[in-house]
Amino acid sequence: MISDEYRFIFVHLNKTGGTSIEKVFVPEADQKDVRYKHASAAYYRKKFPRSFRDYYKFAFVRNPWDWLVSRYHWSRDRQRLFDFSFAEMLARLQAGIPLSPVAPWLESEALLPQRDRLCVDGDIAVDFVGRFERLQEDFNVVCAALRIESRTLDHVFRTNHTRYVDYYDDDMRRLVGQLYATDVAEFGYRFGE
């Protein structure tokens, strides 16, 4: 999302509370996609070089183990892209087997490590990286940077599932740690936190 009015670029990583943030600025964001939804930092820099240089840039990330459980339920239950188990999804990711013939963007975009989508030339290219785990608190930081009044976020597009730790055995936990090692290292996430 890019806002010329508020002079910001929001790099909306999927399943990190981003639609709740977009809805503050575009009230119908939960009804229709905001333009450039889920575009990477590199995309914004290429398409809007001047704005990318001058505007405040922010994003939110999420614990990769939790993030994958949420993505799984969104893709299976809401988007109906596949109907297999979470364990099967992880096995397919490990083996490089497509998750859905109608959604090749799952592996090539939506399931890329979060850090990768925030980088330009190998470096994180946003001014602030908030965390889903403290969404409101970190959004208040964004509001202060934008010099606007803090606004309470509604949690839209919530997925329905038990605690993410319940989905994993030791092998699955290690696999996600390997697949998303850059996120774990960059953002300091650990399983169970």
Side-chain angles (χ1 to χ4, degrees), residues 102-121:
V102 298
W105 48 265
L106 269 174
E107 295 86 4
S108 65
E109 295 173 24
L111 289 168
L112 287 176
Q114 296 166 87
R115 183 188 189 284
D116 291 0
R117 293 179 284 153
L118 300 181
C119 286
V120 174
D121 299 328

Side-chain angles (χ1 to χ4, degrees), residues 89-105:
M89 182 184 91
L90 292 183
R92 286 173 176 245
L93 285 175
Q94 182 180 30
I97 299 169
L99 298 178
S100 172
V102 298
W105 48 265

